[in-house]
Amino acid sequence: MIEWAVNGDILHATDADNAELTVNGSDLTVAPSDIDIPRPVDETVVVTTDELRFPHAVVYAFSLGLDEQYELDPAGEPLTLSPGEYVVDIDTEIKAYLRFSGAVRIERTDDYEEIVVSFPNRTRVILGLRCRHEFPAGTITVPDSPSAVADAITHMAASQKTDNPDRSYPTLRGHPSLIERGDTLEISDCIRSDTPDHGIELVVPPDYESLFVTAPLAYYLQATVRTTDDALGRRTGSGTVRPRLRLVDRAIETELSPMPDLERDVERLLRKTFFLDCLVRNAGPYATSLSELSLLEALEIDAETLYEASPQDRLATYLDVPYAAIKHRLPEWHLSTYVAPEYASVETIPFLLDRLSMIYTPRTSELEGRELVERSLEDFYRGDDPDRERTKRRSGSDATRASAGRVASVDIVKPDLRSGRTHGWLADGVPIDVFKSAPAAYHNRLEFLERESDSTSICVVLNDPEMAGEHDHVAEIYRQRSEELTMDITVEESLETAALARLLEDDHDFVHYIGHCETGGLCCPDGTLAASSLDRCRAQTFFLNACGSFYEGRALIEKGSVAGAVTVTKVLNDHAVKVGSTFAKLLVHGFSIERAMGLARRRIMMGKDYAVVGDGTHSLTQGEHEPPTTVTLEELPDEGDEEYLLGVDCYSTRATGSYYYPHTETNEYAYLCGNESTFRLTASELVTMLKETEASVIYDGDIYWSKELWPRFDQ
């Protein structure tokens, strides 16, 4: 669902996931349209103008008459096309397509902030818009039966929009159907008819552990999942049957390891297949100059042939590629979720497949001695920290955010983490280094997507006047961002329990609470408010920046929220200010809750005191550049000229398969998200890059925002 409105020469579009697109025109006129455009779109309008300006994006142009494709040079050279009929693909956060007849010039502004599409004369243009998020199509009911769950996982692939390598693009993988528990297996005819059958089968033991672990691979391969007892006609006495991957028409059968080594086999197969699809898809209509493409030649893979091949033939070729030959080039996998292998967990599977998460079996052990402290110090941004000694002591109640009352403590355990950049936990226990999710969080997210809103509502609550420093800082961050995105900012102080309850039960996209928390709940002038006492929480996301707020945050998730940041113990007040302000900045620039907290808490030595509850992959807003970018910067040893080593890290748990262009003067390539790119830059080149990139920058033991940091190097 996309809503659009026109204000003067500005067209503003918003989708159900709070993504926004602003298009500026010259003497712009806009009208609704039902004219088709040869691309999948959710909304079309007719615009008449001689110039359109979009946010910075990757741009392709396709000649409908000559069947030719063009790409706007990422280095900045304009694209000029002679008169003809074209479709222009502009990869903004809300996908945009332009269809028109005539000549056109497409270029980037000097600061790389905008894409300008200009015509010789006023031209009638069909503007098509597509939401990147899709609601689940229908619901599958499953009984407590592994074979029934196998059928349900098979039909998850009905949401995908293609079976060629373009399925590696996040916009061509829809949200799978929901799964609910019931007495009998129920799959609608619509879902059955949309489920592909490519003759690819995954045969796994009839247990939830194996089914959950193989679900991401089955979903991406669009494979039919069968349990070994069904596949073998329920024969007995045949011994243990190992899981296997079958290509029926090719008579190829690959035997996989039993659990727990099945996890490793699935991870390698999925990462390899996905990565090679990302390379082979460049033989299709959406090619780009990926830095990783040279690997195809080394592997002697013919991309043109494979792009047109059947899913079985393409997979057969991929299976012949040794994992060792590509593992050093694989992007780090974006997300892994640890799920209790039981019937009650089946409802979470579609949400994890929507994010293309790896699924693992949860295993934990106790943290030993000072291990929690040591792991905090390992993640700390190493630089001069005036609070270092005070942090080590961690005594003196006046330095903490704790009140005189009792603060809830949390027993933290050590998880056995496997491959992945971000980790989620859907099982018992509260592990370190993961976000603690819950089935309710994913269902709550769907409810918020259905809520119509013209702006992002943010409320800052200060319930202790002595903490006004953080309050003033974060409120200013939100106000500054509201000048660029549609945000409604409110500030409240000293709310009593009834008023705070009403605030949490009202519609807000984000609530930033600054104050105290005790075992009885969030502290107010007249007592404490227990989140469990709320009728319903309508705060989509939150930050409870108070000592020991974990249990209150978890209760907010159960009452209706999607995700939030919390603390697991007492925290120092000045540390809370550091984390709170950085978290606020990252959150409103499109970072997910988990990634924003992961970066923010590294500013302090005891960062492990902060955690995320709910769906940590959720984002409050979308930034100018999706996915969000983090830059690491260090000075190189003095060799005459001042130079810097710059690393660019761009990834998102929501957009796996995307790519990014680093804005350095000499760069000619795009990089797959999850692969870091590095560059050696002079001071002047660094200044240009920081000016043209909206990014968090890790430098000299702290984290900055690029637009605030560049003047330091402009000499």
Side-chain angles (χ1 to χ4, degrees):
M1 179 185 68
I2 292 180
E3 296 181 351
W4 59 273
V6 179
N7 182 8
D9 287 338
I10 300 175
L11 184 149
H12 188 77
T14 308
D15 73 6
D17 204 13
N18 284 330
E20 299 184 10
L21 173 63
T22 298
V23 183
N24 290 271
S26 174
D27 192 18
L28 185 69
T29 63
V30 184
S33 170
D34 57 1
I35 300 175
D36 288 337
I37 198 167
R39 296 293 186 273
V41 296
D42 299 312
E43 186 76 27
T44 57
V45 296
V46 177
V47 301
T48 304
T49 184
D50 60 5
E51 181 181 280
L52 292 169
R53 288 177 174 257
F54 293 83
H56 179 269
V58 175
V59 180
Y60 297 101
F62 302 88
S63 171
L64 297 182
L66 301 177
D67 195 26
E68 293 185 359
Q69 173 187 326
Y70 312 89
E71 180 180 356
L72 179 61
D73 185 352
E77 287 297 316
L79 175 62
T80 302
L81 301 176
S82 58
E85 187 168 358
Y86 298 97
V87 170
V88 175
D89 177 339
I90 304 176
D91 196 26
T92 42
E93 179 55 24
I94 293 178
K95 191 79 170 182
Y97 298 97
L98 306 177
R99 180 173 183 172
F100 56 89
S101 295
V104 67
R105 177 184 173 91
I106 307 172
E107 58 191 321
R108 305 178 192 276
T109 54
D110 291 340
D111 59 6
Y112 281 77
E113 288 294 318
E114 292 183 307
I115 298 295
V116 182
V117 181
S118 53
F119 307 96
N121 306 293
R122 284 183 62 78
T123 300
R124 184 172 180 268
V125 180
I126 307 300
L127 170 61
L129 302 171
R130 185 172 87 232
C131 174
R132 291 184 180 273
H133 181 90
E134 284 194 7
F135 290 93
T139 300
I140 296 173
T141 303
V142 295
D144 188 357
S145 160
S147 62
V149 172
D151 283 342
I153 293 173
T154 295
H155 291 285
M156 295 290 98
S159 66
Q160 297 197 41
K161 302 172 185 177
T162 181
D163 58 15
N164 68 30
D166 290 338
R167 64 187 172 182
S168 57
Y169 285 114
T171 56
L172 295 177
R173 300 189 303 269
H175 196 303
S177 302
L178 298 181
I179 294 178
E180 67 179 13
R181 289 173 285 165
D183 295 331
T184 59
L185 179 64
E186 298 177 14
I187 304 173
S188 70
D189 291 341
C190 181
I191 294 174
R192 288 186 184 276
S193 63
D194 287 342
T195 302
D197 183 2
H198 300 308
I200 299 173
E201 292 184 352
L202 261 173
V203 182
V204 299
D207 59 72
Y208 291 129
E209 195 175 43
S210 301
L211 283 167
F212 289 2
V213 165
T214 54
L217 179 64
Y219 166 70
Y220 187 72
L221 295 181
Q222 302 172 355
T224 299
V225 183
R226 305 174 67 191
T227 55
T228 51
D229 53 349
D230 282 347
L232 296 175
R234 303 187 182 277
R235 294 197 303 270
T236 59
S238 57
T240 301
V241 179
R242 298 178 65 159
R244 61 200 62 206
L245 175 64
R246 291 173 170 171
L247 280 60
V248 178
D249 297 340
R250 296 288 302 269
I252 294 175
E253 186 170 294
T254 300
E255 193 171 82
L256 307 177
S257 302
M259 288 291 295
D261 291 340
L262 179 61
E263 293 180 337
R264 178 204 60 209
D265 290 355
V266 167
E267 175 201 325
R268 290 184 172 185
L269 273 171
L270 180 52
R271 292 184 69 188
K272 178 169 70 170
T273 303
F274 187 84
F275 175 62
L276 292 174
D277 267 356
C278 287
L279 304 187
V280 171
R281 74 189 184 191
N282 283 273
Y286 306 112
T288 192
S289 53
L290 280 180
S291 68
E292 296 89 348
L293 268 180
S294 59
L295 186 60
L296 289 182
E297 184 176 351
L299 296 172
E300 298 182 347
I301 288 179
D302 183 347
E304 285 76 13
T305 299
L306 279 187
Y307 185 84
E308 301 295 340
S310 71
Q312 277 197 62
D313 289 344
R314 191 166 60 250
L315 181 56
T317 300
Y318 292 171
L319 291 175
D320 285 339
V321 175
Y323 184 77
I326 64 169
K327 72 175 185 177
H328 63 291
R329 299 293 297 273
L330 291 173
E332 187 174 3
W333 200 253
H334 60 292
L335 176 64
S336 296
T337 310
Y338 303 80
V339 183
E342 56 194 32
Y343 176 53
S345 301
V346 297
E347 64 184 282
T348 64
I349 299 301
F351 300 102
L352 304 182
L353 299 185
D354 179 51
R355 295 290 198 249
L356 206 58
S357 173
M358 293 287 184
I359 298 178
Y360 294 109
T361 302
R363 298 191 290 267
T364 63
S365 58
E366 291 186 4
L367 286 165
E368 299 178 359
R370 289 178 49 84
E371 189 172 359
L372 181 61
V373 175
E374 292 169 354
R375 292 177 71 153
S376 283
L377 295 178
E378 287 174 1
D379 280 352
F380 176 56
Y381 294 132
R382 296 294 176 177
D384 293 333
D385 181 14
D387 302 321
R388 186 183 305 274
E389 293 304 318
R390 185 146 51 98
T391 302
K392 288 180 180 178
R393 293 194 298 270
R394 291 192 63 119
S395 60
S397 59
D398 59 327
T400 73
R401 189 155 282 202
S403 67
R406 185 181 175 189
V407 173
S409 61
V410 180
D411 292 327
I412 303 295
V413 296
K414 179 170 64 175
D416 176 11
L417 298 181
R418 273 74 102 197
S419 172
R421 175 77 67 92
T422 301
H423 302 270
W425 196 261
L426 278 162
D428 293 336
V430 183
I432 191 174
D433 294 326
V434 306
F435 62 86
K436 170 72 173 178
S437 196
Y442 302 103
H443 292 286
N444 295 343
R445 176 161 59 85
L446 293 183
E447 291 189 19
F448 280 102
L449 290 176
E450 294 173 345
R451 184 188 354 175
E452 295 185 10
S453 176
D454 295 330
S455 65
T456 299
S457 170
I458 295 178
C459 185
V460 183
V461 179
L462 174 63
N463 259 19
D464 186 335
E466 294 183 2
M467 301 174 185
E470 178 188 352
H471 163 272
D472 295 341
H473 197 176
V474 299
E476 181 59 25
I477 288 171
Y478 297 137
R479 290 192 182 102
Q480 289 176 353
R481 189 61 172 149
S482 69
E483 297 174 1
E484 302 166 350
L485 293 180
T486 308
M487 288 184 175
D488 179 20
I489 314 297
T490 58
V491 177
E492 303 285 353
E493 297 184 22
S494 300
L495 291 182
E496 296 190 344
T497 53
L500 181 57
R502 285 195 302 271
L503 185 146
L504 291 170
E505 291 173 346
D506 287 342
D507 289 345
H508 289 289
D509 293 299
F510 181 62
V511 173
H512 191 142
Y513 173 87
I514 303 167
H516 300 293
C517 183
E518 299 175 356
T519 54
L522 301 174
C523 294
C524 301
D526 62 336
T528 57
L529 173 67
S532 59
S533 69
L534 299 173
D535 290 334
R536 175 74 174 164
C537 181
R538 298 297 295 163
Q540 181 181 166
T541 57
F542 56 85
F543 186 11
L544 304 182
N545 203 358
C547 291
S549 60
F550 174 85
Y551 292 111
E552 296 306 311
R554 193 174 66 176
L556 290 180
I557 300 299
E558 295 299 331
K559 289 292 183 176
S561 291
V562 180
V566 295
T567 67
V568 296
T569 186
K570 293 181 180 181
V571 293
L572 295 173
N573 188 58
D574 46 4
H575 283 188
V577 173
K578 281 186 176 183
V579 173
S581 59
T582 306
F583 179 81
K585 173 80 77 172
L586 296 168
L587 192 67
V588 294
H589 278 85
F591 285 73
S592 68
I593 301 285
E594 171 67 18
R595 192 175 175 199
M597 178 49 66
L599 290 167
R601 68 188 183 187
R602 291 175 61 189
R603 294 193 68 200
I604 62 173
M605 294 183 69
M606 297 308 300
K608 303 299 185 185
D609 293 345
Y610 284 85
V612 168
V613 291
D615 179 11
T617 70
H618 188 63
S619 300
L620 174 65
T621 66
Q622 308 304 326
E624 290 88 345
H625 307 299
E626 173 71 20
T629 301
T630 299
V631 169
T632 55
L633 179 64
E634 60 180 276
E635 296 182 24
L636 292 171
D638 188 6
E639 298 177 357
D641 296 329
E642 193 173 22
E643 288 191 316
Y644 299 85
L645 184 65
L646 180 130
V648 183
D649 180 25
C650 187
Y651 89 99
S652 169
T653 52
R654 302 173 62 247
T656 310
S658 298
Y659 55 86
Y660 68 99
Y661 278 104
H663 296 158
T664 62
E665 293 182 12
T666 58
N667 179 55
E668 300 177 354
Y669 296 103
Y671 295 80
L672 289 173
C673 289
N675 272 343
E676 183 177 352
S677 54
T678 57
F679 304 91
R680 189 178 181 124
L681 303 178
T682 65
S684 62
E685 290 171 336
L686 175 62
V687 168
T688 300
M689 189 273 177
L690 293 178
K691 281 184 176 181
E692 296 175 353
T693 302
E694 285 278 353
S696 57
V697 183
I698 300 169
Y699 171 67
D700 193 25
D702 211 339
I703 186 168
Y704 304 87
W705 201 251
S706 53
K707 295 297 177 68
E708 302 165 349
L709 185 63
W710 70 260
R712 182 179 300 193
F713 306 98
D714 190 22
Q715 300 175 357

